[in-house]
C-alpha cells in the first residue's frame, strides 16, 4: 500500500498528508478548493523547514510526494483513502458513497472521525468490510497515537493492513471495536 488519497485539506488533512509524504507514500490530497490545496504545500514546506528543521533538499523530496486534486476520480488508483472532512455524518456518507463508486473492491476507505459511527458511514458503500476508522490526533505529525476503529462489518484483513501502514508511519496503534467516543474521547 503506497498510494494514499486524502479527502479534505483542513488542519487534519494537511497533517495526515505531511505524515504520509514524509514516509515516502504517494499522496494525493483532494479539496474542491484547489487554491487551498496549493497553500497546503506552502504550509507543509514552512513547517518542515522551520519547526522540523529539515534541509531544503529533503523538504523538496517530501513535497514531491504530494499531488493536489479537485477530482474524486483521482482516487481510483489509490490503495488507501483517508477522509478528513468536517464532523458531519451526511457529508461523510455523501463522499463515501461517491468514492465507493470510483475505487476498486480492494481499496480501504478510512474515516478520521473522532466520534461518528463507522458502521453508519460504511452503510453507503459497496464493500463495507473495507471501511475502518483511523483516528489521528491533532497535530497529526506530532501525536504518536492512532485509534483504529472496527465497525460491525470491518474485516480483520482491513485492520491488519491499517496496522501495517500505521507502523510504517511510526504511529502507536490502539485497535478497538466501535463504541461511542472510541477510547480517547470517551476517557476525556
Amino acid at each position: 500500500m503506497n498510494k494514499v488519497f486524502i479527502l479534505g485539506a483542513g488542519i487534519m488533512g494537511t497533517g495526515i498528508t505531511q505524515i504520509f509524504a514524509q514516509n515516502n507514500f504517494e499522496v494525493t490530497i483532494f479539496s474542491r478548493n484547489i487554491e487551498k490545496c496549493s497553500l497546503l504545500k506552502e504550509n507543509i514546506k514552512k513547517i518542515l523547514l522551520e519547526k522540523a528543521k529539515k534541509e531544503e533538499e529533503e523538504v523538496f523530496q517530501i513535497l514531491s510526494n504530494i499531488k493536489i486534486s479537485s477530482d474524486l476520480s483521482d482516487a481510483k488508483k489509490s490503495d488507501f483513502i483517508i477522509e478528513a472532512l468536517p464532523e458531519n455524518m451526511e457529508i461523510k456518507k455523501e463522499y463515501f458513497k461517491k468514492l465507493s463508486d470510483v475505487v476498486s473492491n480492494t481499496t480501504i476507505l478510512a474515516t478520521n472521525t473522532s466520534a461518528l459511527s463507522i458502521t453508519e458511514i460504511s452503510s453507503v458503500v459497496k464493500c463495507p468490510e473495507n471501511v475502518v476508522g483511523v483516528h489521528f490526533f491533532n497535530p497529526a505529525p506530532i501525536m504518536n497515537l492512532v485509534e483504529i476503529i472496527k465497525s460491525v462489518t470491518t474485516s480483520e484483513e482491513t485492520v491488519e493492513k491499517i496496522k501495517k501502514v500505521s507502523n510504517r508511519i511510526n504511529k502507536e496503534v490502539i485497535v478497538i471495536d466501535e463504541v461511542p467516543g472510541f477510547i480517547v474521547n470517551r476517557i476525556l
Side-chain angles (χ1 to χ4, degrees), residues 6 8-22 27-29 36-55 58-68 141:
I6 310 292
I11 291 170
M12 291 308 295
T14 300
I16 295 166
T17 297
Q18 179 183 331
I19 293 165
F20 280 95
Q22 280 182 246
V27 184
T28 301
I29 184 158
K36 186 174 186 177
C37 278
S38 296
L39 292 174
L40 168 139
K41 282 182 109 171
E42 285 303 313
N43 290 339
I44 291 174
K45 179 179 179 180
K46 185 177 179 179
I47 289 167
L48 291 171
L49 288 171
E50 295 175 11
K51 292 185 179 178
K53 305 292 185 200
K54 303 261 185 217
E55 296 295 323
E58 185 179 3
V59 171
F60 177 79
Q61 178 57 46
I62 292 167
L63 293 176
S64 73
N65 292 332
I66 302 171
K67 177 184 171 192
I68 297 169

Side-chain angles (χ1 to χ4, degrees), residues 28-111:
T28 301
I29 184 158
F30 169 89
S31 177
R32 292 178 299 181
N33 183 343
I34 204 75
E35 289 175 18
K36 186 174 186 177
C37 278
S38 296
L39 292 174
L40 168 139
K41 282 182 109 171
E42 285 303 313
N43 290 339
I44 291 174
K45 179 179 179 180
K46 185 177 179 179
I47 289 167
L48 291 171
L49 288 171
E50 295 175 11
K51 292 185 179 178
K53 305 292 185 200
K54 303 261 185 217
E55 296 295 323
E56 190 83 36
E57 188 175 306
E58 185 179 3
V59 171
F60 177 79
Q61 178 57 46
I62 292 167
L63 293 176
S64 73
N65 292 332
I66 302 171
K67 177 184 171 192
I68 297 169
S69 173
S70 62
D71 184 356
L72 272 184
S73 67
D74 287 339
K76 191 173 198 162
K77 295 181 180 176
S78 298
D79 304 309
F80 177 40
I81 296 171
I82 303 173
E83 167 273 316
L85 296 170
E87 288 290 280
N88 178 300
M89 181 61 78
E90 295 312 310
I91 292 172
K92 290 179 184 294
K93 285 168 57 175
E94 173 189 345
Y95 276 95
F96 269 73
K97 184 167 179 19
K98 288 177 182 178
L99 286 165
S100 181
D101 292 336
V102 172
V103 299
S104 78
N105 291 341
T106 60
T107 303
I108 293 176
L109 299 171
T111 177

